[in-house]
Amino acid sequence: MSPLEPPVQGRRHATAQAGDTFHSEYQKSLMNYWLLKSEPDTFGIHDLQNKPNQTEHWDGVRNYQARNMMRDDMKQGDLAFFYHSNCDEPGIVGIMEIVKEGYPDFFAFEPKDKHFDPKSDPANPRWFMVDVRYIKTLSRTITLKELKLKEELTDLALIRRGNRLSIMPVNKRQWDFILSLE
């Protein structure tokens, strides 16, 4: 199995045998791809890499559209680009896997936490998070500047003017093209 191919368990299919090429292609077709932004001074790719089991929750998202994607659309086994934002050279620095689907962001309930939301209620949570696992650090940063120059990525949400979401979908064609830039 490739390090970029998610485990079969927990995905939306479990009937094929190991090594089944059709199953592998089917599995990839069901997968969603994402781009998740984080400021490297707050939480960078190496922070994720150094966590126990190289796994951590992706918390603190306080935008309803991004929250909805985490809560409703991200599935175990989906892959995501780790994007460093608000730094000298913003860009894609690594790859991670969604290992736990959306669940309430418990920091919203902790008054001393910077992500506390007094209007969020554990009985009816307002904010959600997912757990991610480190897959790899890219051999180089694929910069925002470089991505903007690629005609193949004109429809990528990241480079659309005015799009400041911290989480955004990436389609399979965009995902493959971006990986080819490494």
Side-chain angles (χ1 to χ4, degrees):
M1 180 183 301
S2 153
L4 298 182
E5 202 171 307
V8 173
Q9 68 206 40
R11 287 299 284 162
R12 295 157 245 186
H13 44 272
T15 58
Q17 301 297 317
D20 181 344
T21 305
F22 173 78
H23 174 68
S24 179
E25 291 307 310
Y26 178 71
Q27 179 178 351
K28 289 177 188 175
S29 73
L30 292 177
M31 183 185 309
N32 293 315
Y33 300 92
W34 305 94
L35 183 141
L36 283 67
K37 294 181 183 177
S38 182
E39 296 177 11
D41 292 343
T42 302
F43 187 76
I45 187 76
H46 297 297
D47 295 310
L48 179 58
Q49 185 178 13
N50 292 323
K51 288 290 180 182
N53 299 318
Q54 298 182 317
T55 301
E56 182 65 304
H57 43 263
W58 199 269
D59 62 78
V61 173
R62 297 297 182 264
N63 170 285
Y64 289 107
Q65 189 176 357
R67 183 263 335 247
N68 292 348
M69 285 184 262
M70 291 175 72
R71 183 191 66 196
D72 304 333
D73 301 326
M74 285 186 177
K75 302 297 178 198
Q76 182 179 357
D78 287 353
L79 295 177
F81 286 125
F82 196 122
Y83 181 91
H84 281 173
S85 65
N86 199 20
C87 57
D88 291 339
E89 189 174 52
I92 296 170
V93 297
I95 298 173
M96 54 194 166
E97 175 187 9
I98 308 304
V99 293
K100 184 174 181 183
E101 296 179 15
Y103 61 99
D105 183 338
F106 48 78
F107 292 111
F109 314 128
E110 296 182 16
K112 293 182 181 179
D113 191 85
K114 67 181 177 179
H115 294 115
F116 173 66
D117 180 354
K119 294 180 180 177
S120 193
D121 176 0
N124 187 21
R126 179 179 285 194
W127 305 112
F128 284 74
M129 60 186 167
V130 296
D131 287 356
V132 297
R133 182 179 57 83
Y134 172 87
I135 298 291
K136 73 178 248 177
T137 301
L138 298 183
S139 60
R140 68 178 189 89
T141 299
I142 302 173
T143 67
L144 176 60
K145 184 183 249 182
E146 179 181 356
L147 294 169
K148 286 181 175 182
L149 294 173
K150 302 299 181 185
E151 188 175 307
E152 296 87 349
L153 298 174
T154 56
D155 58 341
L156 181 66
L158 176 68
I159 59 177
R160 247 186 259 136
R161 209 163 175 72
N163 192 339
R164 299 188 41 87
L165 285 177
S166 61
I167 294 174
M168 53 194 70
V170 174
N171 68 39
K172 174 81 167 114
R173 179 189 51 77
Q174 294 164 340
W175 178 270
D176 291 340
F177 181 77
I178 291 167
L179 284 178
S180 78
L181 299 174
E182 184 187 12

